[in-house]
Amino acid sequence: MAGVAPAVLLVDKPGGMTSHDVVARARRAFGTRKIGHAGTLDPMATGLLVLGVEGATRLLTFIVGLDKTYEATIRLGVATDSDDADGQVTRQTDASSLASDAIETALQPLRGRISQVPSSVSAIKVGGRRAYDLARAGEEVELAAREVEVTRLDVVAQRRDGPTIDLDVVVDCSSGTYIRALARDLGAALGVGGHLTALRRTRIGPFVVEDAGTVDALDAARGLDPAAAASAVLGRFEVTADEARDLRHGKRLAGAAVRLPSHPAAAIGPDGVLVGIVEKRGADVKSAMNMPAEASR
């Protein structure tokens, strides 16, 4: 829509809203339907949601796969059918006798490169349908295990209340990691069941929730211009006006690969405009994705 500047928005999603709810609010605030997000958050979860507006939606593909940080609370002693507090309780076991050392021992196999079966109540598609739709319809859902990486899984606080134990944890992980599944698998390893009672996403790649605005202030949000957002994610590759023109025309920049700060990288013209996303081709640099003029600033 004319008059709507392309931008990458950082939004602090409140609990009780779906990611689609936030996108719908942003579409109304900006008066355009061309808005998408880089990775969902469950309705129960809060925290960082990255939105792309207008032409900047093309950058979301480079953001969705970035590593992430979460703050979460795992309750040991209670399992649910969704692996979080929104589900129905399926098992209750007295976890009060668990020692802290036993909990730490059970956490060790959940760190590093691990094979994880996502929660059955997830957005993964099975036969063209979302797993959570199948599960809510009472159908059996079997999801394949996938490799993810958990580079940090630290307990920062522990609270004991009768038969349950609450663990406040901080998780650094690769895209595609289900924190609910970590809670489930920890509870299963300890023999008492476990689920999430709170989840907050605090970081996606270089973007942090402290820089995010609220849903209620979307109409006043300015966001990051595409050049700034792409440079933060991919690294900044400065090009001359002639090189910018050549990239837009599909030409290679001969011998320019040695100048690339990363692969791929954000090509920025002398006027600060995002020319596009570039990549190596041997010793040369080639455009992998050109940005339309309206999406460049």
Side-chain angles (χ1 to χ4, degrees):
M1 179 178 175
V4 179
V8 171
L9 296 180
L10 308 182
V11 180
D12 188 349
K13 187 189 86 68
M17 293 184 74
T18 67
S19 299
H20 182 72
D21 290 337
V22 177
V23 170
R25 289 276 292 270
R27 285 171 175 168
R28 290 194 295 271
F30 286 88
T32 177
R33 291 197 55 79
K34 197 172 182 182
I35 295 180
H37 65 75
T40 61
L41 277 175
D42 293 333
M44 184 193 83
T46 68
L48 184 59
L49 192 66
V50 178
L51 305 184
V53 180
E54 289 293 327
T57 56
R58 302 185 71 188
L59 297 176
L60 296 179
T61 186
F62 300 98
I63 298 174
V64 69
L66 298 175
D67 59 336
K68 299 168 175 66
T69 298
Y70 294 90
E71 296 174 354
T73 300
I74 298 172
R75 177 160 294 169
L76 298 175
V78 181
T80 72
D81 58 3
S82 64
D83 304 325
D84 65 17
D86 284 341
Q88 298 296 313
V89 173
T90 58
R91 177 186 177 192
Q92 296 187 70
T93 306
D94 190 342
S96 61
S97 63
L98 284 176
S100 297
D101 287 349
I103 295 172
E104 174 57 31
T105 298
L107 284 168
Q108 287 291 357
L110 299 177
R111 299 182 176 118
R113 194 75 183 172
I114 65 172
S115 180
Q116 182 186 74
V117 177
S119 171
S120 61
V121 184
S122 68
I124 294 172
K125 285 191 174 182
V126 180
R129 295 177 64 190
R130 299 290 184 186
Y132 55 67
D133 288 332
L134 295 172
R136 290 164 185 164
E139 297 184 37
E140 192 71 23
V141 179
E142 291 188 11
L143 298 176
R146 55 177 62 186
E147 279 204 347
V148 297
E149 188 165 10
V150 178
T151 53
R152 180 187 182 191
L153 175 52
D154 292 345
V155 177
V156 296
Q158 181 181 135
R159 295 179 299 281
R160 294 173 180 260
D161 183 13
T164 63
I165 302 173
D166 282 354
L167 305 176
D168 293 336
V169 300
V170 177
V171 184
D172 292 336
C173 57
S174 63
S175 179
T177 303
Y178 281 85
I179 312 303
R180 284 180 291 158
L182 293 177
R184 176 201 65 204
D185 293 345
L186 176 63
L190 291 166
V192 298
H195 72 284
L196 281 188
T197 62
L199 180 65
R200 180 166 177 78
R201 186 159 65 194
T202 59
R203 181 185 64 86
I204 300 176
F207 306 121
V208 294
V209 72
E210 289 81 4
D211 294 332
T214 66
V215 170
D216 291 336
L218 278 171
D219 56 351
R222 296 184 60 186
L224 298 170
D225 69 78
S231 296
V233 172
L234 299 172
R236 187 181 182 95
F237 175 59
E238 303 279 359
V239 296
T240 66
D242 288 342
E243 289 174 328
R245 183 187 63 249
D246 286 346
L247 287 171
R248 289 192 176 105
H249 290 165
K251 296 181 180 179
R252 296 189 180 195
L253 305 185
V258 295
R259 294 163 40 204
L260 279 182
S262 57
H263 173 66
I268 310 296
D271 53 0
V273 166
L274 176 63
V275 177
I277 308 304
V278 296
E279 59 188 9
K280 291 181 182 179
R281 280 293 186 270
D284 302 340
V285 168
K286 177 182 179 296
S287 178
M289 185 184 77
N290 282 331
M291 297 295 289
E294 60 87 23
S296 299
R297 292 186 180 274

